[in-house]
Every structure is written in structure tokens, then in C-alpha cells.
Amino acid sequence: MDKNISFTLKVWRQRGPKEKGAFATYQMKDIPGDTSFLEMLDILNESLVNKGEEPIVFDHDCREGICGMCSLYVNGHPHGPATGATTCQLYMRRFKDGDTITVEPWRSAAFPVIRDLMVDRTAFDKIQQAGGYVSINTGGMPDANAIPIGKDVAEEAMDAAACVGCGACVAACKNGSAMLFVSAKVSQFALLPQGKAEAAKRAKSMVAKMDELGFGNCTNTRACEAECPKCISISNIARLNREFIKAKLKD
Amino acid sequence: MWLFNSSVGKKVIMSVSGIALVLFLLFHMSMNLVAIFSAEGYNMICEFLGANWYALIATAGLAALVVVHFVYAIILTLQNKKARGGQGYAYTVKPKNVEWASQNMFVLGVIVILGMALHLFNFWANMQLVEVLHMLGANVDASLAADGVHYIKETFACPVYVALYVIWLVALWFHLTHGFWSALQTLGWANQIWFNRWRVIGNVLVTIIILGFLAVVAVYAVCPCAGC
Ligand code: HEM
Ligand code: SF4
Ligand code: FES
């Protein structure tokens, strides 16, 4: 059994996109170590509601690391101090009795705060809509091994496809760059025959959308890769650069 | 044109101008090493380059590279500041694997350009510039314009200059240990294997370049009559 811990929670509260925000401090008592971070916030919210106060607004959905909705910047890390895990997969046993835990929303011009810890990530949807799909007819489900694909290629494509679109890469980046996300979305298709047909068009239109929405320019600091809950590699960024430059040189 | 109006294009400009400057540094360093072994040989090189048409064209090309690199560094850095947004984090930590240099490229670049200004003042203004002025008929004494060793001795006899040059070269080392692999990553010439290879190649190459420059500074600071 995990021990119970008591700690101080510093949470960013902001009533609306245009309002000024500030940190609010809460004392948390006897939280079991096997409580998830989001359950801990639920406990806090319940007590706030019982006291007649506004609960803390934060994004969440699946609570099992697959939807990418949860998005908290905990003690200087997007998704908290655990590696390869989303905020919903973070457990209170990671923290010590008497700690102060600081919780902030993603900070990036392209992800404005909606309220408290919830930010607007429609910018990612717009980038996806600009080309993050396959629109040619690829026929029905092929028989296994009808289209031979090398194991390492298949694995790299699968690793890229693990991106859940959470935006932690942007939140971690000092340049507010979305290159890790865009490169994962481009790579998952560029590596496979069904995606290759539209690879050039996809790279061009997704990068154009990314630039238009005001994301920054990648300077290869690798903060994104270190903080990504799905451990997406920056070799995908090299592939995106390659696809983009090749496509432009061909024009 | 994609080079100028897309984020990846602007990075390609940074990358290509940066790599070209690295190649120049490699050449410049090799040339400097001669000054350690033979003052006469070094001055012969100075004479050979001097203010000949090819040296002047190369100088203009270099100046253009530095200007392009510097201007795009400013553009990219300002855009990135804006993309980050006004509100910063209250609590930050540097994630593991993130090189310090990679997050301070602009500051390092500014130190590099200040060092370059000092270097032009110490050498270029006394050598190529004087020669050009002389050729244009100005009343300047060009007798020492190709005597590179004279200016090396004069500069590094002063401990303040030695210290400034060392700071400059160390900043350049940091700039390039990140810059080298970053430039190849930007060009898309990297994957899970080449990423590590380029980092090792870059670190070795850049360390050799910087040690070569430092060697000349050190030798002339300690023993002003080296190469005689
Ligand atoms: C001899 C001088 C210099 C050399 C050899 C050099 C080399 C490089 C290289 C190879 C890169 C990597 C490019 C990339 O990531 O694609 C780079 C990046 C950079 N340089 Fe320089 N540089 C020099 C001077 C300067 C100066 C004077 C500045 C002015 C502030 C500067 C600012 C930057 C910045 C901000 C970056 C990062 C840009 C980015 O990655 O987007 N550099 N440099
Ligand atoms: S690349 Fe990683 S950090 Fe970025 S959106 Fe995808 S899963 Fe999240
Ligand atoms: S809530 Fe779905 S990934 Fe965290």
C-alpha cells in the first residue's frame, strides 16, 4: 500500500481568455499515493463545490493515456515529472509529503487559455485538417503480407502514429514550435505505401498551416522529445524537413 | 518563395549559411596553424591573400553569409518569442538531453559577432583594409599590411585581448557543438542512426577547429617569438 501524503497545491486560476489569471493555493491532506493526479484534482474540486466555490477547470477524457486531452504543466514538466506518461497516468506516489506542487496550463500563443488549466488546442485540429489524412482510394483491407513492408519501417510508422496530439511538445518548447506533432503526423503516412502518394502535398500543406497559425520555428533543442508522453523521436522532424524540402525543390 | 516565407525554409537559410561559415573556419584555422611553425610561411600566405581580387571576393562573400545568418537569427528569434506568448511558466526545469547551447544560440551568436568585430578591428582593419586604401591611392602606410605575424604578436601581447579571444572562441565552441548537428537535422539529413553520428562528427570537428585557433593565441601569448 502506498503512503498517504499531504502537500500544498499551487494552481493557475483564470476566469476567461481575456481575464487576468493568478495562482491560488490549496492545502491537500492525506491523499493516498495510488490516487491519480486527476483524481486528486477531483477530490479538490468536490471540496470546492461543497464550499460553494468554482471548481478548477481542466481537460480530460479517457484517463488512460490514449486521447491526449489531459494537459497539465506540473512542476515544470508538461504531463508532470513521469516520463512516457500523460497527466492522467501520473500518480501521487511520485510526490513527497510536504511538497509544493505547481500546476499551470500549456503556455503558447497558439494555445490560448480558455479557463483555469484548459487551453484551446483547435490549432492542432486545423493542422490535421490541412492534410493529416489519406484521401486516395487504397482499396479494401489487403491480405496480410500482400504489400511487403520492412519490419523496422512498420515499427517507425507505428511509433509515429502513437502521437496523441496532446500539445506537450509545444508546451515544452521555448520556441512554441509544433514540429514534433506535425512531423509525427506526416511520418506515420510518409513511411507507408498508402501514404506516400500524397506525401509531398501533405508535408507542404501541414507546414503551411502550422506557420499560418503562429507556431514557432524549430531550433532542435529536443525539449519536445524529452517531454512527449509517447516518446516521439525528433528523427521524425528530420523526415518532415526532408519531405518538405524535397517537395519544394521539385516544384 | 518557400526559402523566405516558410519556417523550414528560413531554417534552411540558417543551416546553409552556418555550414558555409564552419567550412570557412576550418580553412582559416588551418592557415593560422602555419603561424605557430613558421612566421615567414604565415606572412607568405598573408601576402598571397592580401587584397587580391579573389581574396576580396571571398571577403565579400563571407560578409554576406554573416549578414544573412545574423538577420535570419534575429527574425527567427523574434518570431519564436512571439509564438511562445507573453505569459511564461512560473516553474521551469531544463529537461534531460537538452543541451544548454541549444537554448542560448542567439546569446552565443551575439558574443560571436562582437568577437568578430574585435577581430576585424585588430587584424582586418590593419591589413586588407589598409592595402585596399593604399591601392586606391590613400595616404596610408602599407608596409606592415601583409605582416600578419606582427599583428598576432601585438594583439596577444595584451592579456585583455587574450582573455577576450578565449571567451569568443569558447562561445563559438558552444554555438557550433549544437549548430553543426542542428544544421544537418534542419536539412533533413538525419535519422535515428545519423543523429548520433553527426553529433560525434560535429563535436570532434568543432573541437579541432577551436583548439587550433586557441593554440595560436596560447603560443603567442606565452612566447611572443614563436615561429621566428
Ligand atoms: C562564425 C560564425 C558562425 C557560425 C559558423 C555559425 C554556425 C551556425 C550553425 C551551423 C547553426 C545551425 C543552423 C541550424 O540549426 O539549422 C547556427 C544556428 C544559429 N546561429 Fe549561428 N553561426 C555563426 C554566427 C552567428 C551569429 C553572429 C549569430 C547572431 C546572433 C548567430 C545566431 C544563430 C542562431 C540564433 C542560431 C539558431 C537558429 C536556429 O537554429 O533556428 N550565429 N549557427
Ligand atoms: S508529439 Fe508527443 S507531445 Fe507532441 S502532441 Fe504528439 S504525443 Fe503530444
Ligand atoms: S485523459 Fe486521455 S490521455 Fe489523459
Side-chain angles (χ1 to χ4, degrees), chain A residues 10 12 23 73-78 83 100 102 104-110 156 159 170-177 179 207 210-211 214-227 233-242 244-245 248-249, chain B residues 1-3 5-12 72 75-99 101-106 178-179 181-193 195-196 199:
Chain A
K10 256 179 77 185
W12 184 261
F23 282 103
Y73 197 89
V74 182
N75 279 357
H77 295 281
T83 44
T100 297
T102 309
E104 302 171 72
W106 285 177
R107 300 283 189 205
S108 156
E156 244 184 304
D159 286 346
V170 179
C173 178
K174 89 185 223 315
N175 306 319
S177 164
M179 283 293 271
V207 168
M210 170 186 88
D211 291 347
F215 289 100
N217 309 285
C218 172
T219 64
N220 304 317
T221 69
R222 301 176 74 201
C224 53
E225 180 184 60
E227 299 291 7
S233 157
I234 61 159
S235 63
N236 291 303
I237 297 184
R239 181 176 300 104
L240 170 60
N241 289 335
R242 197 156 64 232
F244 182 85
I245 295 170
K248 288 292 184 183
L249 287 180
Chain B
M1 171 74 174
W2 66 278
L3 273 176
N5 58 23
S6 74
S7 58
V8 179
K10 279 177 268 193
K11 286 294 324 269
V12 168
Y72 273 86
I75 296 175
L76 289 171
T77 306
L78 287 179
Q79 278 187 344
N80 290 350
K81 269 215 140 61
K82 188 158 156 249
R84 196 76 190 80
Q87 178 79 46
Y89 291 111
Y91 190 127
T92 49
V93 282
K94 191 168 77 64
K96 61 172 193 333
N97 290 340
V98 173
E99 299 160 13
S102 73
Q103 300 194 308
N104 294 280
M105 289 297 272
F106 190 74
H178 175 69
W181 74 259
S182 173
L184 290 146
Q185 166 89 4
T186 298
L187 294 180
W189 195 352
N191 54 32
Q192 273 157 9
I193 298 163
F195 167 70
N196 283 321
R199 282 222 302 176

Side-chain angles (χ1 to χ4, degrees), chain A residues 6-11 23-27 37 74-76 95-103, chain B residues 91:
Chain A
S6 300
F7 51 89
T8 308
L9 202 59
K10 256 179 77 185
V11 180
F23 282 103
T25 307
Y26 305 94
Q27 298 301 329
F37 202 85
V74 182
N75 279 357
F95 302 92
K96 288 198 291 291
D97 204 50
D99 274 358
T100 297
I101 304 173
T102 309
V103 192
Chain B
Y91 190 127

Side-chain angles (χ1 to χ4, degrees), chain B residues 116-136:
Chain B
M116 239 146 41
L118 176 69
H119 182 57
L120 291 179
F121 165 75
N122 287 150
F123 292 89
W124 179 77
N126 288 322
M127 299 173 68
Q128 194 179 63
L129 182 63
V130 166
E131 217 164 303
V132 170
L133 289 176
H134 185 73
M135 273 167 14
L136 293 176

Side-chain angles (χ1 to χ4, degrees), chain A residues 54-72:
Chain A
E54 287 284 340
I56 298 163
V57 175
F58 61 93
D59 260 329
H60 61 104
D61 189 16
C62 71
R63 297 207 175 195
E64 54 179 2
I66 53 173
C67 74
M69 276 311 278
C70 54
S71 53
L72 303 179

